[in-house]
Amino acid sequence: MKIVTHKILASLASVTLVGFSAFITKTKPEFNLSRPNIIIILADDMGYGDTQCNNPNAQTLTPHLNQLAKEGLRFTDAHSGSAVCTPTRYGLLTGRYAFRSPLKKGVLGGYSPMLIEPERFTVADLLKQAGYKTAAIGKWHLGLNWPSNANLKPQELGSPSEQASATNVDLKSDLVKGPNDLGFDYSYIISSSLDIPPYVYLENGKPTERVITDIAGNNNPRGVFWRAGKGAEHFKLEQTLDHFTQQAQTFIQQASRDTKPFFLYLPLTSPHTPWLPAADFQGKSKAGIYGDFVTHTDDVVGRILKTLDEAGVKDNTLVIFTSDNGADWKPGDAEKFPAHQANYIYRGQKSDIWEGGHRVPFLVRWPAAFKNPRSVSQTVCLTDMMATFATLTKQSLPAHSAQDSFDFSTYFTSKNPTKANRVSTIHHSISGMFAIRKGKWKYVEGQGSGGWSKDESPLKHLEAQLYDLENDPRETSNLLEKQPVIASEMKSLLIKQREQGFSRMGAKE
């Protein structure tokens, strides 16, 4: 149960937030370290090695991310909750691994119903309860409850990962439920990835255009891909990234004039397919149109940081930049651009249980709280946002929430941080394969990548995998037969945490 329901939260709010104008007051923002403004910029499919601050040999240009790292913290062992996008987003917003939800593998479609349960306590709930204005702007990909066409029932699916069709969906009408029912005061989103229809902007659950047409698909060249389907008459795929950036800048400018702190969840559409860098970025990298799109993404970060500076709220705004999973950098891409390692030295790619699937960039800046930029080797997971923000805002988590969220806020607030109490991390691939990490050891419950990569190793016939990441970060030597006791202990720990419904002590399923 939530501490405070969405309806009660809404009634407690001093204003009903219909649009940005409701945020504006003439009072200067209050400076309060216990309630910083918070922005999470979530890139879509950006690998650890796509950023120059993580990979000196990157063939992309990421000056703004480099500056973010120079001014703040660069976590070198950060992981998305899954190797693909929907489950990672679920975990980030709920503090709970998505495999505990009905989604056991794969991702949602554009017409899928909401995955986050209505009663589930979210990061937006937590911060709204602390007096924040909350907003979600960008790619949602967590399901929406669409209205049905007249005389047609909602489509019944056997599992969330099944792709629902547009046949019985009324795209011209307002949503039945969406982000505004999960703690967000304001939302401006598309339902899914930019290569999945419908191609419609939704502001506070209302389509910004009500004339719907057919949009042709594309699949050439590699990466410039999107599916055919329904969309708004004036929707332009190539303008989406910049459009969301402008919406986010407007939110920051107007929210900064209020006395309340703000929380902005900004999940970008890039550099996920379709790779559509704007003209200003074409040819700027040495990694093709993908590298150009990464550079475009970096520019978006720069525009957000500049907006914070111009609004006078840079110092007390906590900015987190990360990605929902590793890069979709296939063997053919690596052959064409061998100098660029999108996932750095790590094995595999998006979708995989190997490190390339879920080890992600994670940069943090909060000038008012810490002025000693550094790299941090502490293992963190994107599910940890909930517990960390609870501590920063001096709140307690309800018992039935954030089952897999661990507080690492002391890295933000102390020169001598105490080690986070996360002792193990569960990984999950697109096919539903599990792995668990504890210290230097990583145990994979199965053969192969669990995703799109092929396993060419000599021990690929073994029923499981065990790696020493401290000495073998590339996961080249399966130690299953050499370290059977450790493998058995890791397997038991995985089974226990998976079946008990939580990994954070004190939490309950």
Side-chain angles (χ1 to χ4, degrees):
M1 296 296 291
K2 295 186 177 181
I3 294 179
V4 183
T5 66
H6 295 299
K7 291 183 179 179
I8 295 175
L9 284 169
S11 67
L12 290 175
S14 59
V15 292
T16 300
L17 300 177
V18 177
F20 288 133
S21 59
F23 294 152
I24 303 175
T25 69
K26 297 180 180 180
T27 310
K28 286 290 184 181
E30 178 185 359
F31 192 76
N32 188 342
L33 277 179
S34 67
R35 295 200 307 165
N37 302 313
I38 299 173
I39 299 178
I40 299 174
I41 305 175
L42 184 69
D44 196 4
D45 290 9
M46 181 179 282
Y48 184 92
D50 280 328
T51 59
Q52 291 173 307
C53 56
N54 285 333
N55 177 10
N57 296 317
Q59 301 300 294
T60 55
L61 296 175
T62 57
H64 300 103
L65 291 172
N66 299 346
Q67 187 64 32
L68 195 63
K70 289 179 182 178
E71 295 178 353
L73 306 179
R74 181 176 68 91
F75 284 76
T76 60
D77 196 8
H79 299 264
S80 54
S82 171
V84 282
C85 40
T86 295
T88 287
R89 291 155 201 270
Y90 178 96
L92 188 158
L93 292 180
T94 66
R96 181 176 185 249
Y97 292 134
F99 66 78
R100 304 195 194 282
S101 78
L103 185 67
K104 306 303 182 184
K105 62 180 180 179
V107 300
L108 298 184
Y111 299 102
S112 299
M114 283 172 57
L115 180 63
I116 298 179
E117 306 86 342
E119 71 279 3
R120 184 71 55 193
F121 193 70
T122 69
V123 166
D125 283 324
L126 174 82
L127 295 175
K128 188 171 182 178
Q129 184 174 272
Y132 280 65
K133 297 181 295 290
T134 58
I137 298 175
K139 167 186 167 177
W140 182 242
H141 211 175
L142 280 165
L144 299 166
N145 288 0
W146 296 93
S148 298
N149 280 315
N151 303 318
L152 289 176
K153 295 181 180 180
Q155 185 173 1
E156 295 184 3
L157 302 176
S159 69
S161 60
E162 289 184 37
Q163 300 296 302
S165 70
T167 304
N168 58 347
V169 173
D170 181 6
L171 294 176
K172 300 178 183 179
S173 299
D174 299 351
L175 292 177
V176 177
K177 284 189 177 181
N180 296 68
D181 299 287
L182 296 172
F184 288 103
D185 297 314
Y186 180 81
S187 64
Y188 194 101
I189 62 167
I190 57 173
S191 67
S192 188
S193 300
L194 191 56
D195 57 9
I196 301 176
Y199 303 109
V200 178
Y201 292 118
L202 298 160
E203 183 174 26
N204 291 329
K206 304 177 186 297
T208 60
E209 290 186 72
R210 299 189 186 265
V211 177
I212 303 300
T213 187
D214 291 319
I215 293 181
N218 189 81
N219 193 23
N220 187 57
R222 151 73 177 145
V224 188
F225 163 77
W226 64 89
R227 296 165 179 83
K230 299 293 183 181
E233 183 179 23
H234 298 104
F235 191 97
K236 303 294 183 184
L237 280 83
E238 66 275 13
Q239 298 176 5
T240 304
L241 179 60
D242 288 329
H243 184 65
F244 280 138
T245 304
Q246 292 163 3
Q247 295 296 321
Q249 289 177 293
T250 301
F251 171 81
I252 293 169
Q253 292 163 349
Q254 298 185 345
S256 296
R257 300 171 192 164
D258 205 338
T259 56
K260 291 183 176 182
F262 64 82
F263 167 56
L264 171 59
Y265 171 56
L266 180 57
L268 306 179
T269 54
S270 63
H272 192 290
T273 55
W275 299 342
L276 295 171
D280 289 346
F281 307 99
Q282 293 173 14
K284 296 295 185 182
S285 78
K286 296 180 181 179
I289 53 176
Y290 172 80
D292 296 345
F293 208 25
V294 170
T295 299
H296 188 172
T297 305
D298 175 83
D299 183 74
V300 168
V301 175
R303 289 159 63 185
I304 296 299
L305 298 180
K306 182 179 180 181
T307 302
L308 291 173
D309 201 11
E310 293 174 343
V313 294
K314 170 185 174 180
D315 285 348
N316 200 34
T317 299
L318 170 62
V319 177
I320 296 175
F321 175 87
T322 187
S323 178
D324 61 350
N325 45 249
D328 179 17
W329 194 243
K330 301 187 185 303
D333 302 317
E335 291 174 6
K336 190 173 183 180
F337 302 100
H340 184 63
Q341 293 178 297
N343 293 308
Y344 195 43
I345 63 171
Y346 300 110
R347 187 181 185 187
Q349 60 172 309
K350 170 188 176 178
S351 80
D352 294 348
I353 203 66
W354 297 325
E355 292 294 288
H358 49 78
R359 189 179 291 238
V360 293
F362 195 91
L363 308 174
V364 182
R365 189 189 75 175
W366 184 9
F370 55 85
K371 302 182 185 299
N372 53 330
R374 61 195 185 278
S375 296
V376 178
S377 60
Q378 167 67 42
T379 304
V380 296
C381 181
L382 299 195
T383 56
D384 294 336
M385 303 291 195
M386 178 85 85
T388 300
F389 295 163
T391 298
L392 290 178
T393 56
K394 296 180 168 56
Q395 297 187 84
S396 297
L397 293 170
H400 298 276
S401 71
Q403 287 86 351
D404 305 294
S405 189
F406 294 84
D407 172 24
F408 62 97
S409 62
T410 59
Y411 287 93
F412 303 166
T413 58
S414 174
K415 292 182 179 179
N416 299 298
T418 57
K419 190 174 182 179
N421 56 356
R422 170 177 285 283
V423 296
S424 64
T425 305
I426 295 179
H427 306 305
H428 205 222
S429 79
I430 190 171
S431 69
M433 180 181 286
F434 285 94
I436 189 165
R437 165 83 177 281
K438 183 179 180 182
K440 71 176 186 177
W441 294 108
K442 177 180 176 182
Y443 173 82
V444 180
E445 190 185 50
Q447 300 173 327
S449 70
W452 301 331
S453 296
K454 294 182 179 180
D455 188 356
E456 304 294 345
S457 64
L459 299 179
K460 62 183 179 181
H461 61 281
L462 296 180
E463 71 276 8
Q465 303 167 61
L466 180 70
Y467 299 106
D468 176 355
L469 293 183
E470 182 177 299
N471 296 301
D472 181 26
R474 298 173 185 264
E475 297 174 284
T476 61
S477 300
N478 184 356
L479 303 178
L480 185 71
E481 294 179 314
K482 294 181 179 179
Q483 298 285 353
V485 174
I486 292 175
S488 178
E489 291 174 351
M490 295 287 285
K491 180 179 181 180
S492 296
L493 181 61
L494 171 60
I495 293 172
K496 177 184 177 182
Q497 291 191 5
R498 188 169 59 201
E499 294 183 352
Q500 71 184 6
F502 61 89
S503 58
R504 177 175 63 86
M505 296 304 296
K508 296 180 181 179
E509 177 62 8

